Amino acid sequence: MKKIFVILALFVLPTLGYSQSAETDPSKDSPHFTKYDLIEPSYSVTAYSADNFSLLNSTQNRPELAFLSSAILPGSAQAMNGNWIRAGLFAAVEATAIILAVDYQNRAAREERSYERNADQNWSVVQYAQWLTEYHLAHDLSNPYISELRDEVAGLTPTFDTDIDWKAVDISVLRNAERNTRYITTDDQSANNFSHTLPAYGSQQYYELIAKYYQYQAGWRDYHDYHDQLGHTGNDFLQRYFFDRNGAYASPLFWQFADDADRFNSLYRTGRTFQMLLIANHVASAFDALFTVQLKQNRIEATSSIVPGRQLSMTVRF
């Protein structure tokens, strides 16, 4: 405010001095005025302070800061520029996406842990390895590693306790046997060798494969009971050592766990969808803020005045 008074004084005092000198010296001629002398000068003074460089002011006038602000917190730059509807929209999408992404992720993790606990109690590596050795005998298959595997599991009873069963089987021997085992299917056709080897116990791949590929169907607790129900006893006993291409020889527990795995994987996929929505919301909010400030800067209005009683207005828009 002091600056304004000083500037006004600089212009007013000389005028007063000139007026006084004209009155005291009547011998001087009166000045000659033209039409242009009727235009009163207009002065504009802007006093800069720390407020001019505040975050709010910068976000309102600098596109790059508006972009960064909304990229970090969607809707923030929109709110600073008074665009409350868009700010609320971006904020609502952000909150909803976060809540749902976390919820689906937690639900999937809970179901996956439950799946793994139940699988540990219902799938045995010993039962699978024993079935594999019997499978070779049933079809008179040649395999340089099957004898060693047979020696490891002969006479054992599957406990379905991972701490016990996994100590009885050498995973490297089992994998070598799997790599040299052919599929024998119910249509009396021999297919290629097994497509997978058993992953390490406890890994994500381990839990996925045992309920996904028919190769591991014989490891489930109800496998032999199920084949007894199918009538694979007596002369048909060897039917339990075949693979059905449509999964007809896989037991109910195999399908139950396959459904459970599909369910928690679906929850994970939905959670990832909301995570992608979260990212898209940040990007959309950032670019919306950028374009809003740029558009605001490209609107230039200039106004000047003519006295007395006339006004000239000029508006330039880009």
Side-chain angles (χ1 to χ4, degrees), residues 5-6 9 14 21 39 42 52-53 91 110 120 132 147 164 179 198 252 254 258 263:
F5 288 139
V6 171
S21 62
I39 301 177
S42 176
N52 293 97
F53 300 97
R110 286 195 299 270
D120 287 346
L132 192 60
S147 296
I164 298 174
R179 293 188 186 98
L198 188 64
F254 175 92
R263 184 166 54 252

Side-chain angles (χ1 to χ4, degrees), residues 67-313:
F67 179 91
L68 182 61
S69 176
S70 279
I72 296 173
L73 182 61
S76 58
Q78 285 80 0
M80 293 180 187
N81 281 281
N83 299 321
W84 299 109
I85 294 179
R86 279 184 289 175
L89 177 62
F90 286 121
V93 172
E94 181 79 358
T96 302
I98 290 175
I99 291 172
L100 291 178
V102 171
D103 179 62
Y104 275 95
Q105 192 76 13
N106 289 339
R107 287 168 56 190
R110 286 195 299 270
E111 293 211 15
E112 184 178 21
R113 287 193 296 268
S114 176
Y115 168 93
E116 292 174 356
R117 286 193 301 269
N118 292 330
D120 287 346
Q121 299 170 11
N122 288 281
W123 196 90
S124 169
V125 66
V126 169
Q127 178 169 296
Y128 169 65
Q130 288 177 335
W131 177 90
L132 192 60
T133 62
E134 294 162 359
Y135 173 84
H136 280 77
L137 290 175
H139 300 291
D140 194 23
L141 298 177
S142 175
N143 188 326
Y145 300 97
I146 203 66
S147 296
E148 186 177 358
L149 181 62
R150 184 180 297 111
D151 292 340
E152 285 187 354
V153 297
L156 297 179
T157 300
T159 65
F160 295 91
D161 184 332
T162 55
D163 291 334
I164 298 174
D165 285 358
W166 274 94
K167 291 178 181 178
V169 177
D170 185 336
I171 188 66
S172 62
V173 174
L174 176 60
R175 289 171 177 169
N176 285 333
E178 288 176 311
R179 293 188 186 98
N180 292 272
T181 300
R182 290 184 295 140
Y183 279 107
I184 305 296
T185 61
T186 53
D187 54 11
D188 294 329
Q189 295 183 12
S190 176
N192 296 327
N193 286 359
F194 280 5
S195 56
H196 294 81
T197 57
L198 188 64
Y201 166 69
S203 66
Q204 184 272 334
Q205 283 291 309
Y206 165 79
Y207 288 110
E208 177 184 350
L209 265 59
I210 60 175
K212 184 176 182 179
Y213 294 102
Y214 301 145
Q215 172 183 338
Y216 299 107
Q217 65 188 16
W220 291 100
R221 182 189 288 270
D222 65 341
Y223 182 79
H224 290 292
D225 291 339
Y226 174 65
H227 280 268
D228 289 343
Q229 295 172 12
L230 290 178
H232 296 164
T233 58
N235 293 334
D236 292 327
F237 182 82
L238 295 183
Q239 285 296 312
R240 67 186 66 204
Y241 299 109
F242 283 89
F243 291 101
D244 184 85
R245 294 180 186 274
N246 297 316
Y249 282 9
S251 67
L253 276 178
F254 175 92
W255 294 112
Q256 175 188 322
F257 278 84
D259 290 340
D260 291 345
D262 183 66
R263 184 166 54 252
F264 73 70
N265 280 320
S266 178
L267 291 172
Y268 275 127
R269 287 191 293 270
T270 304
R272 285 193 291 270
T273 298
F274 284 111
Q275 291 173 9
M276 295 302 297
L277 175 61
L278 199 61
I279 296 173
N281 189 52
H282 282 249
V283 173
S285 180
F287 278 101
D288 177 77
L290 175 70
F291 296 145
T292 297
V293 175
Q294 285 182 335
L295 189 62
K296 180 180 177 181
Q297 287 186 332
N298 288 337
R299 293 195 180 101
I300 301 175
E301 294 185 359
T303 304
S304 61
S305 299
I306 295 181
V307 179
R310 294 183 180 181
Q311 187 177 50
L312 173 64
S313 296

